Structures are given as structure tokens and as C-alpha cells.
Amino acid sequence: MSPKFSALITTIPFPVLGGATITVFGMISLTGIQLLIKDELSSRNMTIVGLSLALSMGISSVPEATALFPDVLKSIIGGSPIVVAAFVAFTLNIILPKMTLADEKKEREAMEEEDREESENDSPSIHRRTAATSRA
């Protein structure tokens, strides 16, 4: 940067810089939230976002949590919650199976149908056992 521009920047009061910083970070956060909402809020996406945020906040709150990490991983993370969140989100995006909300609904319906069939198959035997024990 040029010395004159640097001198100009140093004349800006700290409260103004703080306000500008809060505004910028707020806008960045809202842009991220818009991206999340624009895509489907499936279980997969909520898991990715939730775990990424939780682990990044956890590492920033308790830096000793990385004490047992290998040195290579410590140097990559560097104690930065943003790096942790990005790494976890990237990894989970690759690992977790991609399912749309429609796929999740079909899967839930199939599981409910399976549960209904199991309960129908189990219920007569339970009633027979109960009746037999009550007679004895």
C-alpha cells in the first residue's frame, strides 16, 4: 500500500472500523444462510452444517481439544475455526450420500411401512402368549 493511503486509513476512528467490520461479517453470514436456504434443507445438508459449526465452535472454545491431533493436522488447522468448518463440511459432503427431500420422504415411508408390517406380524403372537399365560 502507499504511505498516503495507509495514513488515511489510520485516521478512521476505531468505532467506525468496528461498525464496518460488524456490517461486513453480518452480510457474509447472511449470504451463507441464503445459500443454505436456497438448497434443500435435507437431513444430509443440516447434518453437514450442524457438525461443521459445532466442531469449529468447539475447537475455538476449547483449543486443548487438538492436543492429541497429529502435528500435520495441527499445522493445517492452525487453531482457526473457519478451517475446521470448511474441512468438516468438505469431508462430509463427499462422504454422506446425496439424497433429495423426495428421496428422504420415500425412505421414511418405506421404513414406516416396514414397521407396520413388523407390528402386524408380531401382534398376534403377543396376544396368543398373553391369552395363554392368563388362562394358566
Side-chain angles (χ1 to χ4, degrees), residues 56-71:
S56 66
M57 289 171 54
I59 286 186
S60 68
S61 298
V62 186
E64 307 86 51
T66 61
L68 298 176
F69 284 5
D71 290 335

Side-chain angles (χ1 to χ4, degrees), residues 1-2 18 22 45 59 61 66 75 78 91 100 103-104 111 121:
M1 288 206 288
S2 73
I22 289 172
N45 292 347
I59 286 186
S61 298
T66 61
S75 67
T91 305
T100 64
D103 294 339
E104 286 182 8
M111 289 170 62
N121 291 339

Side-chain angles (χ1 to χ4, degrees), residues 17-97:
L17 286 175
T21 302
I22 289 172
T23 303
V24 168
F25 285 130
M27 291 173 73
I28 290 170
S29 299
L30 284 175
T31 302
I33 291 169
Q34 275 183 329
L35 286 172
L36 290 174
I37 292 173
K38 185 191 230 181
D39 202 13
E40 291 181 334
L41 286 176
S42 63
S43 301
R44 175 185 184 270
N45 292 347
M46 290 190 322
T47 300
I48 291 171
V49 171
L51 283 175
S52 299
L53 287 175
L55 289 174
S56 66
M57 289 171 54
I59 286 186
S60 68
S61 298
V62 186
E64 307 86 51
T66 61
L68 298 176
F69 284 5
D71 290 335
V72 174
L73 191 57
K74 282 184 199 176
S75 67
I76 291 172
I77 293 173
S80 173
I82 294 173
V83 174
V84 173
F87 179 74
V88 170
F90 180 77
T91 305
L92 289 176
N93 192 40
I94 292 172
I95 293 173
L96 294 177

